[in-house]
Amino acid sequence: MQSLIAPFAVQAAGGEELNPLVPHAVEIVLSIVVFGILFFAVKKFVVPNFEATYTERTQAIEGGLAAAETKQAEADAKLAELEKQLADARHEAARIREEAREQGAVIIAEMREQAQSESARIVEHGKAQIEAERQQAVTSLRTEVGTLATTLAGRIVGESLDDDERQSRVVERFLADLETGTPGRS
């Protein structure tokens, strides 16, 4: 086995062999001092910077969360306000529709009344026109009947009834007899 270790073994100054796996005391002390210096430097310079950065990030995150909660509360308030406005708008629309229905009913009633009055006026005008035409027809018939009666009476009597006064009296008497239903006087 010595032949295997022999190439790695170092002879000490005193003739004893040194084990390469066991460190020297100087190396151990030097390692402890370097570790202490590094520990002190990290604790003094690096850790405070990490702590400051960590604190800043923590505050930024907490501030962001507070801002987000505030924004959420504002958004909820706006949503509630918009829902209230929407409900008010729906009520207003329903009220306007109801008013429109009422106004429509009033307009329909007014139009019916106007149509009925127009219809009554047209009927009255028609009756008046018919009455005027009837009077005109009666007058026209009286004139024609009077002319026929005068002509006929003149033929029967044998004398001319050209005198307007006489002709008018004969026509009036004839028509009066016709209206009363009594036959002519002989």
Side-chain angles (χ1 to χ4, degrees), residues 96-111:
I96 289 171
R97 277 194 303 269
E98 187 61 33
E99 284 180 3
R101 281 189 198 120
E102 290 173 1
Q103 289 176 354
V106 167
I107 289 172
I108 288 172
E110 288 175 356
M111 294 302 284

Side-chain angles (χ1 to χ4, degrees), residues 117-182:
S117 66
E118 184 69 18
S119 172
R121 186 189 65 77
I122 290 172
V123 167
E124 287 299 319
H125 179 71
K127 285 181 180 178
Q129 189 173 3
I130 289 171
E131 182 62 29
E133 287 177 3
R134 189 183 74 76
Q135 287 295 331
Q136 186 179 8
V138 166
T139 305
S140 174
L141 281 174
R142 280 188 174 197
T143 306
E144 287 181 28
V145 168
T147 305
L148 287 174
T150 306
T151 306
L152 185 60
R155 284 186 188 167
I156 292 175
V157 173
E159 77 181 62
S160 174
L161 296 174
D162 289 331
D163 183 13
D164 285 337
E165 286 181 26
R166 189 181 295 168
Q167 183 178 4
S168 174
R169 282 194 313 260
V170 168
V171 168
E172 288 299 323
R173 197 175 344 128
F174 179 74
L175 289 176
D177 288 346
L178 282 176
E179 286 178 1
T180 58
T182 57

Side-chain angles (χ1 to χ4, degrees), residues 6-132:
F8 296 108
V10 175
Q11 291 278 333
E16 68 183 70
E17 277 187 36
L18 292 177
N19 187 358
L21 296 178
V22 177
H24 295 287
V26 174
E27 288 178 352
I28 293 174
V29 172
L30 189 59
S31 295
I32 290 174
V33 170
V34 170
F35 180 75
I37 291 171
L38 282 175
F39 181 76
F40 176 73
V42 167
K43 185 175 181 183
K44 182 76 172 166
F45 298 110
V46 176
V47 171
N49 286 337
F50 278 132
E51 289 292 327
T53 304
Y54 176 73
T55 304
E56 287 175 10
R57 285 188 178 179
T58 303
Q59 289 174 351
I61 290 170
E62 288 174 354
L65 288 175
E69 288 175 1
T70 304
K71 294 286 184 185
Q72 183 64 37
E74 289 175 3
D76 290 342
K78 278 200 174 205
L79 179 62
E81 181 181 336
L82 289 174
E83 286 175 353
K84 182 180 178 282
Q85 288 176 353
L86 181 61
D88 290 345
R90 285 182 180 151
H91 290 302
E92 181 69 16
R95 185 187 62 80
I96 289 171
R97 277 194 303 269
E98 187 61 33
E99 284 180 3
R101 281 189 198 120
E102 290 173 1
Q103 289 176 354
V106 167
I107 289 172
I108 288 172
E110 288 175 356
M111 294 302 284
R112 272 194 189 129
E113 183 178 315
Q114 188 178 15
Q116 288 175 350
S117 66
E118 184 69 18
S119 172
R121 186 189 65 77
I122 290 172
V123 167
E124 287 299 319
H125 179 71
K127 285 181 180 178
Q129 189 173 3
I130 289 171
E131 182 62 29

